[in-house]
Amino acid sequence: MPDQVFQTYGIHRWGAGMFAPLENGDLGIVNPARPDAPAISLRELLNNLDARGVQTPVLVRVGAFLRRQLESLNDAFAQAIAANGYQAPYRGVFPIKVNQQAEVIDRIVDYGRPYTFGLEAGSKPELILALSRDLPKDALLICNGIKDAEFIRLGILARKAGINCVLVIESPAEADTVIAEAKRLGEKPALGVRIKLTRRVSGNWADSSGDRSTFGLTTKEVVDLIDKLRNEDMLDCLVLQHSHLGSQVPQMLDIRQAVDEACRFYTELRRLGVPLTYLDLGGGLGIDYTGEARASDNSVNYTLEEYCANIVETVKYQMDEAGVPHPTLVTESGRAIVAYSSMLLSDILEASYFDRSAPITPEEDDHHMLSDMAAIVGYLSPRRMQECLNDAEYYREELRALFRRGVIGIEEVARAEQIFLYVVGRIKDLVAQTPDVPQEVLEELSAHRDIYRANFSLFQSLPDVWAIDQLVPIAPLQRLNEVPTRRAVLSDITCDSDGKIDQFVLGDGIGNALPVHELRPNERYFIGIFLVGAYQETLGDLHNLFGDTNVVTVDFNEDGVLELQHEVEGDTVAEVMAYVEYEPKQCLDAFKRIVERGVRNGTLNPSQRRMLMETYRHAINGYTYYEHEEHTHG
Ligand SMILES: Cc1ncc(COP(=O)(O)O)c(C=O)c1O
């Protein structure tokens, strides 16, 4: 049974072997170093965190998942290089913008050390943090993005400190600043050139590719740059060629053709005497968020191994054809390294059920349409489902109109709503047992999905789900040994109708409702939102002033036990107030004056005043999310 329910959520497809169901129905995470050992329950992890005072929503990072992805990427390139007799190494870099958190960057630098893995900085702040990370000698520090003179100075002088910093020229104007700074300092920089590939790719980030992409030099500008550098006696500085197709490229064919084009540029530049040694192919390596293994916005039609093998084969073929030495291969894969390692765990605060199981009988004086509606279940059959839905909706609308016109009272319309929900419940039951239900019936019923309200903010924690309809897998963390009988959409706790998720990754494709279990009294129902390690953490905003969530990093120790290694408390109310320029102390004082007025007017007694001020003060220092009461006074 746990296996079957586990598959309902498609975890066997998108989970990449990192998750497993436990006998007791909990969802567990698997230690990549000991895949056969029992998985560790995420629900128990949450209970442990809760006992320490770390509440949901909590972002959990699993160090071992990060390590596994980073090692897989490097190992897959190493294997492809060995298998093809490729004559140069792979030297990947992690683009900091994909996840800038120190806990993540430090682990990447640490796990990447044996592979001489480097970093990519796309801005001055990112460069400043990258320079302080003590990268291994020879590991690349690639500087992309628009650079001012100070950024360029840092990049040039950092080489003198033994840091393999390469400044990628993004525009003709930037080349002039680089040349001027290099002359002023009397130092030769290591330079790259970002070329604009003409091939456009499919997917969400198609605009990063092709003629209209905002970054990079056109063919003419590249040729001019070479002349300019030659004239300045700086052509020997140009060692790297960079191109970037966009993130999450769904099609292997697109990647391969873009690599082909990049190779043409590379071999031509070599022919013109440019001493290139690095071929940087940017990002693009996608993640299969849906587990469907197909070329769509949230899936990919290739594996990590295939990606690496295709690149190595294509570059080798092109270089051999042109008689050019094999370049050191560089990719800037961020998403593929970090997406798996973070998950947002939270709980459902309440459910609105849009049907009812207990029948309800109209009262004697009720309008006849209530009995007409109740009678629908008498003729409900698989063939007449659509008709029954039409009838129920018709009666409900008519009765609501009668209420608006003052013909029937509030109790009567309340009973009518209950009868409607009962009829819808019976139709849903029948749909669940009927094969090949007409699409229209399913679509109409989707208006009657339950709403499960979860303790998180979409805008803070899953901005891409809101902004670009990114799909992320979601599953309950318990009761996988029990068939989920409800179908719900998830709503967050912001009071914004956009704060909801209504597209779900399931075992048989994408669905518009998440199978969930009926909530039980006094039992918390936890859910996990997975594969959220890339881009989400710093894109989030403070909509409704929900701040950063609590974050913990966990890892398996040598005995395979999951250990809490790092904890960052989420924002307090006072902190988010300060972001939007309120002074918490002033708010407290101002509120105190208002409260005092209430005491003077006699509407508040002194002990109520005290309780009100204590609660205000406590709340201002507390978590911005829904707090379960046992934690709010402690
Ligand atoms: C220049 C550059 N390199 C690398 C990346 C990261 O790519 P990915 O999301 O495929 O890891 C990006 C992101 O779009 C980028 O702009």
Side-chain angles (χ1 to χ4, degrees):
M1 172 69 90
D3 279 337
Q4 201 184 325
V5 179
F6 181 78
Q7 293 189 11
T8 305
Y9 298 98
I11 314 177
H12 58 303
R13 304 205 302 176
W14 54 258
M18 301 189 202
F19 302 89
L22 299 169
E23 264 321 300
N24 69 356
D26 284 358
L27 180 61
I29 51 172
V30 175
N31 183 351
R34 299 185 186 185
D36 298 326
I40 308 278
S41 158
L42 286 171
R43 191 180 55 87
E44 259 167 44
L45 170 68
L46 279 184
N47 287 338
N48 273 332
L49 290 172
D50 195 63
R52 294 164 194 248
V54 180
Q55 306 167 54
T56 52
V58 58
L59 185 85
V60 175
R61 295 199 193 107
V62 185
F65 288 2
L66 187 58
R67 181 193 283 267
R68 181 185 118 145
Q69 286 302 102
L70 189 132
E71 291 182 351
S72 302
L73 177 68
N74 281 283
D75 292 346
F77 264 115
Q79 266 172 27
I81 282 172
N84 287 281
Y86 191 83
Q87 298 298 315
Y90 167 70
R91 293 271 181 272
V93 292
F94 178 78
I96 295 173
K97 72 167 163 207
V98 182
N99 192 322
Q100 300 99 328
Q101 305 295 322
E103 255 301 293
V104 173
I105 296 295
D106 286 348
R107 279 171 191 263
I108 287 173
V109 172
D110 188 25
Y111 302 152
R113 217 167 271 286
Y115 300 99
T116 328
F117 204 74
L119 293 171
E120 183 260 6
S123 67
K124 193 158 44 175
E126 287 182 0
L127 174 64
I128 284 167
L129 76 84
L131 287 173
S132 70
R133 295 299 95 180
D134 199 15
L135 287 172
K137 186 176 154 298
D138 293 338
L140 285 161
L141 200 178
I142 293 186
C143 302
N144 290 324
I146 308 295
K147 303 169 208 55
D148 60 12
E150 187 178 52
F151 187 146
I152 290 166
R153 259 194 317 277
L154 275 172
I156 296 176
L157 291 174
R159 287 191 74 75
K160 305 294 287 176
I163 300 169
N164 191 9
C165 205
V166 180
L167 295 167
V168 177
I169 294 174
E170 301 261 4
S171 69
E174 195 165 278
D176 295 335
T177 322
V178 167
I179 292 167
E181 280 304 312
K183 284 193 170 160
R184 213 161 66 82
L185 297 168
E187 293 295 337
K188 285 215 162 174
L191 300 180
V193 55
R194 179 163 180 169
I195 53 165
K196 241 183 215 182
L197 297 180
T198 55
R199 274 212 65 77
R200 276 178 65 81
V201 301
S202 54
N204 257 330
W205 284 269
D207 287 348
S208 310
S209 60
D211 288 334
R212 301 284 304 155
S213 67
T214 17
F215 292 105
L217 276 69
T218 61
T219 315
K220 166 82 168 72
E221 288 166 346
V222 173
V223 174
D224 290 349
L225 174 71
I226 293 169
D227 287 343
K228 191 181 282 179
L229 289 175
R230 189 177 275 127
N231 289 340
E232 300 291 345
D233 193 24
M234 282 178 67
L235 196 56
D236 55 336
C237 299
L238 192 51
V239 291
L240 179 142
Q241 178 189 302
H242 173 279
S243 51
H244 172 65
L245 272 186
S247 195
Q248 185 68 22
V249 178
Q251 289 256 26
M252 192 61 234
L253 184 65
D254 281 344
I255 294 174
R256 205 161 183 162
Q257 289 178 338
V259 173
D260 250 331
E261 191 182 350
C263 287
R264 279 293 295 142
F265 273 94
Y266 188 96
T267 53
E268 282 297 287
L269 294 193
R270 288 281 308 200
R271 188 175 62 75
L272 296 179
V274 184
L276 294 172
T277 53
Y278 294 103
L279 177 61
D280 178 353
L281 297 165
L285 172 55
I287 283 291
D288 196 355
Y289 289 97
T290 65
E292 296 170 294
R294 69 186 182 95
S296 67
D297 285 357
N298 295 287
S299 181
V300 286
N301 72 353
Y302 54 88
T303 61
L304 174 77
E305 289 72 20
E306 224 175 304
Y307 171 85
C308 301
N310 271 270
I311 288 180
V312 174
E313 275 167 38
T314 310
V315 178
K316 178 175 188 303
Y317 176 81
Q318 289 270 6
M319 297 300 146
D320 290 350
E321 283 287 291
V324 167
H326 297 170
T328 295
L329 289 172
V330 182
T331 66
E332 304 176 354
S333 304
R335 184 188 296 276
I337 291 179
V338 288
Y340 284 103
S341 60
S342 297
M343 53 195 91
L344 181 71
L345 307 185
S346 194
D347 55 337
I348 301 296
L349 299 173
E350 60 188 14
S352 303
Y353 297 118
F354 281 80
D355 56 45
R356 59 173 280 140
S357 47
I360 163 148
T361 15
E363 299 203 344
E364 220 172 291
D365 297 338
D366 281 349
H367 193 281
H368 71 86
M369 273 196 276
L370 274 83
S371 326
D372 295 344
M373 183 152 62
I376 293 175
V377 289
Y379 55 86
L380 177 61
S381 72
R383 275 196 321 102
R384 298 180 70 179
M385 284 189 293
Q386 180 73 61
E387 179 189 344
C388 291
L389 259 180
N390 295 346
D391 291 351
E393 270 159 23
Y394 168 76
Y395 291 130
R396 184 173 65 160
E397 276 317 302
E398 288 297 301
L399 286 160
R400 283 178 170 175
L402 291 178
F403 173 70
R404 284 195 293 272
R405 273 186 259 126
V407 180
I408 63 172
I410 191 165
E411 298 94 335
E412 208 168 330
V413 82
R415 271 194 296 282
E417 300 284 355
Q418 297 297 293
I419 296 172
F420 178 83
L421 292 180
Y422 177 67
V423 174
V424 169
R426 300 298 61 72
I427 300 176
K428 282 187 185 174
D429 289 348
L430 188 60
V431 163
Q433 300 154 18
T434 311
D436 303 325
V437 178
Q439 196 55 32
E440 295 80 60
V441 173
L442 292 176
E443 271 165 29
E444 238 166 273
L445 274 180
S446 74
H448 305 294
R449 290 164 292 178
D450 299 330
I451 299 176
Y452 272 43
R453 191 173 287 280
N455 189 14
F456 76 102
S457 155
L458 193 73
F459 307 92
Q460 175 61 247
S461 294
L462 304 171
D464 280 347
V465 174
W466 174 66
I468 54 165
D469 295 331
Q470 159 96 50
L471 289 172
V472 286
I474 301 176
L477 305 187
Q478 65 280 292
R479 296 169 68 183
L480 298 182
N481 48 4
E482 201 184 305
V483 174
T485 54
R486 312 291 317 178
R487 297 291 174 270
V489 295
L490 284 187
S491 137
D492 71 3
I493 59 166
T494 66
C495 47
D496 195 311
S497 53
D498 264 6
K500 69 171 190 319
I501 304 180
D502 57 7
Q503 289 291 305
F504 299 94
V505 172
L506 301 175
D508 53 2
I510 312 305
N512 63 12
L514 184 70
V516 280
H517 302 88
E518 192 157 335
L519 299 188
R520 291 181 184 141
N522 304 321
E523 186 180 287
R524 288 174 76 182
Y525 189 72
F526 294 110
I527 55 159
I529 305 178
F530 299 94
L531 274 53
V532 298
Y535 298 104
Q536 304 312 285
E537 291 183 40
T538 32
L539 281 179
D541 67 18
L542 290 173
H543 186 38
N544 262 171
L545 295 188
F546 287 111
D548 278 346
T549 65
N550 291 321
V551 182
V552 297
T553 304
V554 296
D555 217 343
F556 300 94
N557 70 12
E558 283 178 2
D559 302 321
V561 175
L562 201 63
E563 275 182 351
L564 174 62
Q565 297 195 332
H566 188 79
E567 181 191 330
V568 187
E569 279 186 29
D571 288 329
T572 62
V573 173
E575 281 162 345
V576 298
M577 284 168 74
Y579 287 143
V580 284
E581 313 270 323
Y582 292 91
E583 174 48 63
K585 171 85 171 57
Q586 274 173 8
C587 292
L588 189 74
D589 291 342
F591 185 59
K592 207 185 276 170
R593 283 194 294 277
I594 294 167
V595 170
E596 205 42 55
R597 208 160 56 208
V599 176
R600 269 202 312 277
N601 296 343
T603 51
L604 268 180
N605 67 35
S607 85
Q608 284 170 328
R609 174 203 183 274
R610 184 172 149 190
M611 193 196 277
L612 182 52
M613 284 315 300
E614 274 175 8
T615 310
Y616 188 90
R617 200 173 279 119
H618 192 274
I620 219 171
N621 292 315
Y623 203 19
T624 56
Y625 291 89
Y626 183 100
E627 295 183 293
H628 290 274
E629 194 60 15
E630 62 271 27
H631 292 291
T632 55
H633 304 284

